[in-house]
Amino acid sequence: MIDLPYSLSWILFGISASAVCAIIFLSLLAVSTGMFEFFPPPSKDSWQHRTFMGLFRLFLYPMVGLSLLSFEPVPSAYALAQYGVGIVLLVTGFSLAFWITLQMGWRNAFGEKNGLKTRGWFSISRNPVYVATWIGMIGWGLLANTGVVWILLALWATMYLLAPIFEEPWLEQQYGQEYLDYKSHTRRFL
């Protein structure tokens, strides 16, 4: 007899892992060959933008389902601490990432040239959205408490670790010396 939740968990994991790996692969291919731009996409109406957004949704939505389906409770002696820290990190990290993205401008976050942001959170880090998201991911992992979700979160974290490699040449091209000056005195992450 087939254990449906177990089978569904592996299907969701496969879809999610394949999608994030496809994003990383297409980004690396674009940077290494120079044959096309992938991330950031050349425009909101481009196949690159539609592909990235579709793949990111194929990554994120199954991971949410997998987090609920494969949840493993923490032993009661540790549950309050782990879930408490998890909730604080999840809410703080993702709320901060969303807030910083809104301050930067939603379109600016997805490859439109709407001005280089260098103040506020961007004076501390060139990529504060990624740093804040990593905090949220740690919280997510603590709440989900399952290895397959941690693997997917690690892939997401890797994608955000690599993202500046894809974005920085574009930023240099768009903003020139202004970006080079900013880059010279502001760290990539922290």
Side-chain angles (χ1 to χ4, degrees):
M1 179 157 187
I2 296 174
D3 182 359
L4 187 58
Y6 180 79
S7 299
L8 184 57
S9 292
W10 283 108
I11 290 168
L12 292 174
F13 176 80
I15 292 169
S16 189
S18 296
V20 74
C21 288
I23 291 171
I24 293 169
F25 173 76
L26 287 169
S27 298
L28 288 171
L29 183 66
V31 167
S32 65
T33 66
M35 293 171 42
F36 62 95
E37 295 175 37
F38 186 70
F39 187 81
S43 75
K44 189 175 181 180
D45 297 326
S46 66
W47 70 266
Q48 294 94 322
H49 183 267
R50 289 188 302 274
T51 301
F52 176 83
M53 294 305 290
L55 286 171
F56 191 76
R57 288 179 182 119
L58 274 175
F59 160 68
L60 186 62
Y61 299 157
M63 187 171 62
V64 169
L66 183 62
S67 297
L68 297 172
L69 191 62
S70 64
F71 172 78
E72 295 177 15
V74 175
S76 61
Y78 306 104
L80 184 60
Q82 184 169 335
Y83 294 146
V85 170
I87 288 170
V88 168
L89 292 176
L90 178 108
V91 170
T92 301
F94 286 114
S95 296
L96 191 56
F98 185 73
W99 175 251
I100 296 168
T101 300
L102 288 178
Q103 288 180 326
M104 176 175 42
W106 198 257
R107 290 183 176 184
N108 220 16
F110 288 98
E112 289 190 21
K113 184 181 174 186
N114 292 326
L116 181 65
K117 305 300 180 197
T118 60
R119 297 196 174 169
W121 291 100
F122 291 92
S123 67
I124 301 166
S125 168
R126 294 194 316 261
N127 298 283
V129 173
Y130 298 153
V131 174
T133 302
W134 287 330
I135 292 167
M137 286 182 213
I138 294 168
W140 187 330
L142 290 172
L143 291 172
N145 193 41
T146 181
V148 291
V149 172
W150 276 111
I151 291 168
L152 294 173
L153 291 169
L155 287 169
W156 188 4
T158 301
M159 182 175 70
Y160 278 8
L161 185 64
L162 295 173
I165 295 168
F166 314 136
E167 295 169 336
E168 288 176 0
W170 180 86
L171 288 164
E172 288 176 18
Q173 180 185 26
Q174 297 299 312
Y175 297 106
Q177 192 60 45
E178 181 185 7
Y179 179 73
L180 293 173
D181 292 343
Y182 170 62
K183 185 178 174 181
S184 71
H185 69 273
T186 307
R187 293 181 182 266
R188 180 176 280 160
F189 296 114
L190 286 177

